[in-house]
Amino acid sequence: MSRSGTYFTGLLGCFALSFGVAVLAPHLQLGPLSPSFKEEDGQISEIYPIANTSVTAGREVYVSQGCQACHSQVVQGPEAADIERGWGVRRTVARDYLFEEQPVVGASRLGPDLTNVGSSTWRNEPEADIHRPAKRDAAWQLLHLYHPTAVIDSSVMPAYPHLFQKRKVSGQPSPLALNLPTKLEPEPGYEIVPTPDGKALVAYLGSLDRSHPLKEAGAIAKAPAAKK
Amino acid sequence: MTEVASHTAASHTAEAGHAAENRSAIDAAVRPVVVSLFLSAVGWLLLSSLLSAIAAVKLQWPGFLNYSFLTYGRVVPAADGAFTFGWCSTACLGVAIWVVSRLSGRAAPGVKIASFGAFLWNGGVLLGVVSVLLGRLRPLNGIEFPFGAFLIMFLGLCAIVMWLAITFRSEEQMSLSMMFVVGGVAWLGWSLFTGNLLIELNAVRGIVQQILAAWTASGVLWLWIVPVALGTAYFLVPKVTGSPLFSGPIGRAFFWLYFITAGLVSFSRLSGGPVPLWMVSVSAACGILLLVPVLGTAYNLLATARGSSVLGTSPSMRFVFFGLGILSVGTLLFAVSGLRSFGYSLHFTMFDFGVRALLLQGGATMVLFGAIYYIMPRLSGCEWLSSSLVSFHFLGSAYGSSLGSATLIVSGLAAGSALGDPESSFSQVLELAYSYYWGRTLSYILLFAGYLAFALHFLLMAVRIGQPAGEATLLRTQNEH
């Protein structure tokens, strides 16, 4: 074989090694994963995870707006402080993303982790913080998207006014109309309501909850999270 | 070492054996495609820097230019794509075409195929950047462009590779420069195709898609851009200094060690994530091993140039050695961040972005500038107009990229340690991280000054305005003052 023949064979070998270890091996190990479930008397229950197609549109808005640039969807294990921060009750594992096409794990944490933001126990402030929002329901999320500092003083998140529209109130005000502080209120007779994209995004955020117990994910932290 | 030196000297003599007129014939043949690739690369450099600067300002003032197409989450991947695929990759393609033709001692007919490939490549990148800004992006770090954009880029790459394959001719002992450059081109083709196709076809599912995406993106950095930069340095250093390569066999050993280990570091950005531990361990080990060929290659080149009188005055050498130094530092930090104990706290902070900026903006980019400073006079038939403009470009880009990367790295370290401490609230973590971002914003002023000087100089060179050919434009040294 000529020298360049040896070279190209070697190169192909490096490529095969890289593909084998870094792609094929993970695929063989994680590919056969299936949902966990409980079986009692022939009855199957507690299946997790379940493919949730009802929030696909919202997920597309999430990705399209680039939310993943600042928000991760990965709760790290006990070595990190994610669980104590209130971002989840256990670390996330491969099975959590089973039915997600291109899981949005995120690129950085310029904002909090959103793995479980739809769970009622999710928080991003210390347990005792008096400024902690009482609840982060759909109305809160909408207001936060429209004008972040209206609900979190120190927020550095950009506002997303393009996910909302101002419209004339005709008859009864819309139940989705934002309950804005006085300085942000539109002129009388008008209301701010989310666009279909805005509604879908908030529905997606509300669906995010990966706290179902999984044996490979270790123990579930009790809420409130145990302090050292 | 005598045997080695005589061997490398022999191969150099053989390469030099291609007559001077042959060299100028090759240069004339590839000029249209190489100059147009460089020209578009410079355009991408300015555009990506503008987008990055907008993103940097947005970090400090979230309301700045708050239009839907300029949302932070879109500007960042658009800027990164324009920089990686627009500037770095397009310039690498230009360098690869020139280096392979020169080392093969010929330019195959039908260079228009390569020009068409360059056109398609740029079209793909443009489609990618515009798509990302319009919200058609994938949540895959480093390869956010939609599949269609990558498909067009891949077709363009195929056309270029086809022409390169016809041109390619190796001597009995393939030169190190050729090994790195051809290896990089081959890897880019393979990984862009395999990675994107498997993702698009949903051949793997769940988190494995992210693992596959990390492998593809890591290949673009570590097995395309960095190897082409190293291969270019292997071409330029012996040529400019006139010294034979310090060691060919050791260089070859480092080449293989590099290609084996660099292909296995892709898990490092997933440390602490939902992947099995062995993956993180493999990447951590290979990240450390990767240091050997990178530092070894840098040393091999430094030892080659040692004592050369042009080291301080040649623009290309100044850029190349600065780039090699920064590549070494970047690889060291990359290796450290791959270690599990560090990865946990640094993952998702600005540290990773800082290391990436160090490798691409400080390392590879500077080597590519060095290559353009060497190649353009040969294509245009005149020398660079002003050594002051070159110095200005060097200072702006060297200080700018160092300051930008350093602030991101320090901010990442600060945020990482606070993030790992449950006693500090998330708003305190952010406050700490944000206290460094002014440096990032400031760095873009320096970078822009440097890049604009370069762009102007390059444009003049492209239309053949410069010093008369013959004597290279050299930088002034301290001694002359």
Side-chain angles (χ1 to χ4, degrees):
Chain A
M1 196 185 281
S2 72
R3 288 289 180 99
S4 57
T6 318
Y7 166 79
F8 282 110
T9 313
L11 211 54
L12 202 61
C14 291
F15 187 78
L17 176 73
S18 169
F19 187 76
V21 174
V23 179
L24 215 52
H27 173 59
L28 292 176
Q29 183 178 358
L30 302 174
L33 273 181
S34 57
S36 82
F37 56 85
K38 214 179 213 176
E39 192 174 2
E40 270 175 346
D41 307 329
Q43 293 286 310
I44 289 175
S45 60
E46 293 184 29
I47 305 170
Y48 175 86
I50 298 171
N52 186 355
T53 48
S54 66
V55 291
T56 310
R59 187 179 184 280
E60 276 168 18
V61 178
Y62 183 95
V63 171
S64 156
Q65 295 297 328
C67 304
Q68 65 279 0
C70 302
H71 295 282
S72 58
Q73 286 192 30
V74 174
V75 176
Q76 298 187 330
E79 294 90 337
D82 295 10
I83 295 171
E84 279 131 312
R85 281 189 190 287
W87 290 345
V89 289
R90 62 163 174 86
R91 70 186 173 94
T92 43
V93 290
R95 206 194 297 260
D96 286 311
Y97 306 90
L98 204 54
F99 295 116
E100 287 187 45
E101 209 173 290
Q102 302 176 6
V104 275
V105 294
S108 74
R109 280 179 174 170
L110 294 173
D113 185 272
L114 300 179
T115 309
N116 299 300
V117 74
S119 141
S120 58
T121 56
W122 189 90
R123 63 185 165 83
N124 186 41
E125 298 79 14
E127 196 69 34
D129 191 337
I130 49 162
H131 300 296
R132 187 152 77 91
K135 55 179 179 179
R136 285 177 154 96
D137 55 6
W140 187 92
Q141 293 290 6
L142 284 171
L143 198 52
H144 184 233
L145 282 168
Y146 181 72
H147 199 93
T149 46
V151 284
I152 304 273
D153 273 350
S154 58
S155 177
V156 288
M157 188 172 104
Y160 288 83
H162 48 274
L163 294 175
F164 296 84
Q165 56 186 349
K166 187 166 85 171
R167 69 174 187 198
K168 211 170 185 144
V169 183
S170 50
Q172 286 292 310
S174 161
L176 285 171
L178 298 187
N179 185 12
L180 291 159
T182 325
K183 62 177 179 157
L184 296 173
E185 266 179 0
E187 54 268 43
Y190 285 85
E191 60 183 3
I192 308 285
V193 291
T195 61
D197 275 0
K199 274 190 276 187
L201 177 58
V202 169
Y204 170 67
L205 292 175
S207 79
L208 290 175
D209 185 356
R210 299 179 177 101
S211 48
H212 188 96
L214 283 177
K215 59 178 185 304
E216 71 267 33
I220 296 285
K222 294 277 174 285
K227 282 259 165 15
K228 270 191 271 186
Chain B
M1 204 53 71
T2 336
E3 192 196 340
V4 174
S6 66
H7 189 85
T8 38
S11 76
H12 270 276
T13 325
E15 203 272 317
H18 303 302
E21 59 263 35
N22 187 20
R23 283 206 295 269
S24 55
I26 296 170
D27 288 344
V30 298
R31 177 185 145 88
V33 60
V34 175
V35 172
S36 60
L37 278 166
F38 286 166
L39 190 66
S40 47
V42 172
W44 287 120
L45 175 69
L46 295 179
L47 180 78
S48 67
S49 305
L50 179 68
L51 289 171
S52 296
I54 291 174
V57 176
K58 275 171 171 287
L59 269 185
Q60 293 187 288
W61 293 282
F64 177 68
L65 295 179
N66 199 14
Y67 305 108
S68 65
F69 64 96
L70 285 179
T71 308
Y72 182 83
R74 290 182 185 176
V75 173
V76 170
D80 188 56
F83 192 79
T84 312
F85 296 106
W87 154 246
C88 292
S89 299
T90 311
C92 280
L93 284 172
V95 170
I97 288 176
W98 188 79
V99 167
V100 171
S101 317
R102 274 296 196 97
L103 287 174
S104 302
R106 63 179 176 188
V111 81
K112 285 204 169 108
I113 298 172
S115 295
F116 179 64
F119 175 75
L120 277 183
W121 175 270
N122 275 300
V125 178
L126 181 65
L127 178 68
V129 172
V130 172
S131 301
V132 169
L133 290 177
L134 293 178
R136 288 187 52 80
L137 68 155
R138 303 186 294 181
L140 309 170
N141 301 332
I143 49 165
E144 287 93 347
F145 286 178
F147 177 71
F150 278 115
L151 187 65
I152 296 173
M153 285 157 66
F154 178 73
L155 292 176
L157 183 66
C158 283
I160 293 175
V161 168
M162 220 158 65
W163 183 85
L164 280 177
I166 306 169
T167 299
F168 175 80
R169 181 170 62 182
S170 170
E171 308 203 348
E172 181 57 25
Q173 178 83 283
M174 195 188 284
S175 74
L176 273 164
S177 178
M178 189 77 114
M179 287 169 82
F180 271 104
V181 171
V182 171
V185 174
W187 200 289
L188 178 71
W190 285 334
S191 69
L192 264 196
F193 179 72
T194 321
N196 284 302
L197 193 69
L198 291 180
I199 290 170
E200 187 63 19
L201 295 177
N202 276 325
V204 293
R205 58 178 190 156
I207 203 69
V208 187
Q209 288 195 330
Q210 282 289 355
I211 293 174
L212 179 57
W215 174 78
T216 313
S218 165
V220 172
L221 167 65
W222 285 112
L223 288 147
W224 156 238
I225 296 171
V226 176
V228 172
L230 294 178
T232 309
Y234 265 126
F235 183 91
L236 296 179
V237 173
K239 280 242 188 276
V240 178
T241 59
S243 324
L245 193 61
F246 177 68
S247 169
I250 292 180
R252 255 173 270 281
F254 284 148
F255 168 82
W256 289 112
L257 185 59
Y258 182 90
F259 265 73
I260 292 169
T261 51
L264 301 172
V265 296
S266 59
F267 299 127
S268 73
R269 285 209 64 183
L270 300 167
S271 75
V275 295
L277 273 182
W278 69 263
M279 299 182 192
V280 181
S281 307
V282 165
S283 280
C286 289
I288 301 284
L289 275 176
L290 187 63
L291 266 175
V292 178
V294 172
L295 295 181
T297 301
Y299 178 76
N300 200 5
L301 289 161
L302 200 61
T304 303
R306 193 162 39 200
S308 163
S309 58
V310 296
L311 207 53
T313 53
S314 154
S316 56
M317 286 302 97
R318 187 174 292 187
F319 277 91
V320 165
F321 278 104
F322 180 88
L324 287 173
I326 295 289
L327 271 181
S328 308
V329 178
T331 312
L332 178 70
L333 291 172
F334 176 80
V336 170
S337 71
L339 298 176
R340 244 190 98 207
S341 44
F342 287 94
Y344 261 112
S345 52
L346 296 179
H347 192 42
F348 290 131
T349 69
M350 284 289 130
F351 185 89
D352 284 346
F353 292 84
V355 172
R356 191 177 162 81
L358 210 53
L359 289 165
L360 282 179
Q361 202 175 47
T365 291
M366 293 301 261
V367 176
L368 289 169
F369 282 142
I372 293 176
Y373 276 120
Y374 182 85
I375 296 171
M376 279 307 282
R378 280 145 188 88
L379 298 180
S380 289
C382 58
E383 298 294 336
W384 295 92
L385 188 65
S386 149
S387 66
S388 311
L389 263 181
V390 181
S391 293
F392 186 77
H393 170 214
F394 179 79
L395 292 176
S397 44
Y399 280 109
S401 63
S402 308
L403 177 69
S405 318
T407 40
L408 286 179
I409 288 168
V410 174
S411 146
L413 287 170
S417 68
L419 204 56
D421 173 16
E423 298 304 317
S424 37
S425 71
F426 190 66
S427 57
Q428 286 171 318
V429 173
L430 284 187
E431 218 169 284
L432 201 57
Y434 272 68
S435 56
Y436 297 95
Y437 290 158
W438 59 267
R440 184 73 175 153
T441 313
L442 182 64
S443 76
Y444 276 102
I445 298 174
L446 295 170
L447 285 171
F448 259 116
Y451 291 168
L452 282 173
F454 173 69
L456 171 72
H457 218 178
F458 179 86
L459 281 179
L460 290 174
M461 199 64 174
V463 294
R464 302 179 199 260
I465 296 177
Q467 306 277 4
E471 205 159 312
T473 307
L474 295 177
L475 299 166
R476 273 172 296 182
T477 56
Q478 293 292 323
N479 305 341
E480 289 174 43
H481 292 292

